Short mmCIF file of all heavy atoms in Angstrom, two decimals:
data_model
loop_
_atom_site.label_atom_id
_atom_site.label_comp_id
_atom_site.label_asym_id
_atom_site.label_seq_id
_atom_site.Cartn_x
_atom_site.Cartn_y
_atom_site.Cartn_z
N THR T 82 9.81 10.09 2.79
CA THR T 82 11.14 9.65 3.23
C THR T 82 11.22 9.66 4.77
O THR T 82 10.44 10.36 5.42
CB THR T 82 12.23 10.57 2.67
OG1 THR T 82 11.84 11.91 2.93
CG2 THR T 82 12.41 10.37 1.17
N PRO T 83 12.14 8.88 5.33
CA PRO T 83 12.29 8.87 6.79
C PRO T 83 12.54 10.29 7.31
O PRO T 83 13.30 11.04 6.71
CB PRO T 83 13.52 7.99 7.01
CG PRO T 83 13.61 7.12 5.81
CD PRO T 83 13.07 7.94 4.67
N GLY T 84 11.85 10.63 8.37
CA GLY T 84 12.07 11.94 8.99
C GLY T 84 11.13 13.03 8.52
O GLY T 84 11.09 14.12 9.08
N VAL T 85 10.35 12.74 7.49
CA VAL T 85 9.45 13.77 6.95
C VAL T 85 8.25 14.00 7.87
O VAL T 85 7.61 15.05 7.83
CB VAL T 85 9.02 13.41 5.50
CG1 VAL T 85 8.05 12.25 5.48
CG2 VAL T 85 8.44 14.61 4.78
N GLY T 86 7.99 13.02 8.74
CA GLY T 86 6.92 13.19 9.72
C GLY T 86 5.74 12.25 9.54
O GLY T 86 4.63 12.54 10.00
N LYS T 87 5.96 11.11 8.91
CA LYS T 87 4.85 10.19 8.64
C LYS T 87 4.16 9.73 9.92
O LYS T 87 2.95 9.78 10.01
CB LYS T 87 5.34 8.94 7.87
CG LYS T 87 5.73 9.23 6.44
CD LYS T 87 6.18 7.97 5.72
CE LYS T 87 7.40 7.33 6.36
NZ LYS T 87 8.59 8.20 6.44
N SER T 88 4.96 9.26 10.87
CA SER T 88 4.28 8.73 12.07
C SER T 88 3.62 9.84 12.86
O SER T 88 2.53 9.64 13.41
CB SER T 88 5.23 7.90 12.93
OG SER T 88 6.42 8.57 13.15
N THR T 89 4.25 11.00 12.90
CA THR T 89 3.64 12.14 13.60
C THR T 89 2.32 12.51 12.91
O THR T 89 1.30 12.75 13.56
CB THR T 89 4.59 13.36 13.59
OG1 THR T 89 5.90 12.92 13.97
CG2 THR T 89 4.12 14.44 14.53
N ARG T 127 6.47 4.36 18.21
CA ARG T 127 5.80 5.14 17.19
C ARG T 127 4.29 5.13 17.43
O ARG T 127 3.72 4.11 17.75
CB ARG T 127 6.10 4.60 15.80
CG ARG T 127 7.54 4.72 15.40
CD ARG T 127 7.75 4.19 14.01
NE ARG T 127 7.59 5.24 13.01
CZ ARG T 127 6.83 5.13 11.94
NH1 ARG T 127 6.13 4.06 11.74
NH2 ARG T 127 6.78 6.11 11.08
N ASN T 220 4.65 18.95 4.89
CA ASN T 220 4.55 18.92 6.36
C ASN T 220 5.51 19.94 6.99
O ASN T 220 6.35 20.52 6.31
CB ASN T 220 4.85 17.51 6.85
CG ASN T 220 4.53 17.31 8.32
OD1 ASN T 220 3.60 17.93 8.85
ND2 ASN T 220 5.29 16.45 8.99
N LYS T 221 5.39 20.10 8.28
CA LYS T 221 6.24 20.99 9.08
C LYS T 221 6.03 22.46 8.74
O LYS T 221 6.98 23.27 8.82
CB LYS T 221 7.73 20.60 8.94
CG LYS T 221 7.98 19.11 9.19
CD LYS T 221 9.43 18.75 9.37
CE LYS T 221 9.59 17.25 9.57
NZ LYS T 221 10.94 16.79 9.81
N ASP T 223 5.23 25.05 10.14
CA ASP T 223 5.10 25.71 11.44
C ASP T 223 6.41 26.38 11.81
O ASP T 223 7.44 26.10 11.19
CB ASP T 223 4.68 24.68 12.52
CG ASP T 223 5.57 23.44 12.51
OD1 ASP T 223 6.81 23.60 12.54
OD2 ASP T 223 5.04 22.31 12.46
N SER T 261 0.81 20.89 9.33
CA SER T 261 1.76 20.72 10.43
C SER T 261 1.24 19.59 11.30
O SER T 261 0.22 19.75 11.97
CB SER T 261 1.90 22.00 11.25
OG SER T 261 2.55 21.69 12.47
N ALA T 262 1.92 18.48 11.25
CA ALA T 262 1.50 17.32 12.05
C ALA T 262 1.66 17.63 13.53
O ALA T 262 0.85 17.21 14.35
CB ALA T 262 2.31 16.09 11.65
N VAL T 263 2.72 18.38 13.86
CA VAL T 263 2.99 18.70 15.26
C VAL T 263 1.95 19.66 15.83
O VAL T 263 1.40 19.44 16.90
CB VAL T 263 4.42 19.27 15.42
CG1 VAL T 263 4.57 19.99 16.74
CG2 VAL T 263 5.45 18.15 15.31
P1 GDP O 253 8.85 9.61 9.89
O1 GDP O 253 10.23 9.02 9.88
O2 GDP O 253 8.47 10.06 8.52
O3 GDP O 253 7.83 8.73 10.51
O4 GDP O 253 8.95 10.96 10.76
P2 GDP O 253 8.54 11.23 12.28
O5 GDP O 253 7.07 11.35 12.41
O6 GDP O 253 9.23 10.25 13.15
O7 GDP O 253 9.13 12.69 12.48
C1 GDP O 253 10.50 12.97 12.28
C2 GDP O 253 10.85 14.25 13.01
O8 GDP O 253 10.15 15.35 12.45
C3 GDP O 253 10.47 14.21 14.49
O9 GDP O 253 11.48 14.84 15.23
C4 GDP O 253 9.19 14.99 14.53
O10 GDP O 253 8.97 15.60 15.78
C5 GDP O 253 9.39 16.02 13.44
N1 GDP O 253 8.12 16.45 12.89
C6 GDP O 253 7.11 15.68 12.44
N2 GDP O 253 6.08 16.43 12.04
C7 GDP O 253 6.43 17.73 12.23
C8 GDP O 253 5.77 18.97 12.03
O11 GDP O 253 4.63 19.07 11.58
N3 GDP O 253 6.49 20.10 12.34
C9 GDP O 253 7.74 20.05 12.84
N4 GDP O 253 8.34 21.19 13.12
N5 GDP O 253 8.38 18.88 13.06
C10 GDP O 253 7.74 17.73 12.77
#
Side-chain angles (χ1 to χ4, degrees):
T82 49
V85 72
K87 289 181 300 301
S88 48
T89 313
R127 295 181 91 230
N220 190 32
K221 309 193 182 182
D223 50 51
S261 166
V263 162

